[in-house]
Amino acid sequence: MTAAERVGPGLHDLRIELPSWAFGNSGTRFKVFPQPGVARNPYEKVADAAQVNRFTGTAPTVALHIPWDRVDDYGALARHAAELGVGIGAINSNVFQDPDYMLGSVTNPSKRVRRKAIDHLLECVDIMDVTGSRDLKLWFSDGTNYPGQDDIATRQDRMAEALAEVYDRLGSDQRFLLEYKLFEPAFYTMDVPDWGTAYAHCIGLGPKAQVVIDTGHHAPGTNIEFIVAVLLRAGKLGGFDFNSRFYADDDLMVGAADPFQIFRIMWEVRRGGGLDPATGVAFMLDQCHNIEPKVAAQIRSVMNVQEATAKALLVDVDALGKAQDDGDVLGAHAVFMDAFATDVRPLLGELRAADGLDPDPVAAYHRSGYHAAVCADRADGAQAGWGA
Ligand code: RM4
Ligand code: MN
């Protein structure tokens, strides 16, 4: 079997979802640097996302974040996306920026605030009904900063109650993906700090409750691929928010900080059957391009995931299995590392050319003149941002 035959079918099935917020201005708490040509509204963000799909052929959906992407008519936004050859993907809820949420959203001590937060989550499901989205992504900034500030177990009860109400509202072809994060903005306890907590809430609810792994949301050194293997085995891996990090939740381009890690993750995905679209594992980016041009950075990120996936598909499973069964530690490791060490870029270029795409998507995007055109078109008005 040629390398192209081993890699081609799996790569063809790979779909990577783009985050609308990657196309707006973003930054750190020190400064948001505006960039020329940045989208001013959800329609323009979708248009930018469509460029990423145009040159990669692999990013057919864009996730929305509510209220950042609030529009009067979500049906019209979905039609706009369809006209550009893409669709609306996951709906991301946002219960972390309203002043009412200082002490939490669904785990807030105040019943009124909890109700308000749950109502927002239900509103997101209403939007999904209109956009045809399958997934609601739930990330909660809820937590505490000081020991004794609030009762840890009571907050878990409130979380469970809120999740149950949202779960019951989901349609038969809808799911929620519960995201965990170790710390930030809360520094003592987060209410969903790790995959175990997310998993415990999800198994209590049923198959429409799944865990999503944001690669930036772990303690340094955490073996994320182990989590992938365990969740896939349990049928509870709903998807990924891909990005990379050097320190905390850096939201840098996936595969930039540690290409080996994303390879190891994609290997476990492949090993667990998660590359089969039928398993429902969603491959999403959750990134912010604070200093680099946004559309090109998204294209590069998609390519980085493709490269890691191609390498994972190159692993010789028969040779690996034999070495593992024989207890051949170095032999098994060598099979694994051979795949990682392969330069798959020429192969990916060939596969793109066979699909009628430019072998070099970033260069093709630069040549297209899109960036200059939007810089001219979008000279007026306020640019979109993440409103932090
Ligand atoms: C959070 C989390 C969510 C994302 C927001 C912007 O840290 O990763 O997935 O929607 O950031
Ligand atoms: Mn995320």
Side-chain angles (χ1 to χ4, degrees), residues 137 179 214 217 241 243 286:
K137 177 128 52 74
E179 182 171 352
D214 184 313
H217 288 190
D241 267 2
N243 48 56
D286 178 8

Side-chain angles (χ1 to χ4, degrees), residues 13-18 58 61 63 89-92 133-137 175-178 210-215 228 232 236-242 262 265-266 269 273-286 305:
D13 285 345
L14 183 67
R15 298 279 176 274
I16 298 164
E17 182 161 306
L18 310 179
T58 301
T61 54
I91 302 298
N92 287 251
S133 302
R134 180 189 59 178
D135 293 336
L136 169 66
K137 177 128 52 74
R175 323 181 295 178
F176 76 57
L177 308 181
L178 181 57
Q210 297 275 319
V211 180
V212 58
I213 299 176
D214 184 313
T215 46
V228 173
L232 258 178
K236 278 292 179 199
L237 180 62
F240 292 93
D241 267 2
F242 281 141
I262 183 73
I265 288 172
M266 292 314 293
V269 171
L275 288 178
D276 179 350
T279 57
V281 177
F283 301 96
M284 302 172 284
L285 304 181
D286 178 8
V305 177

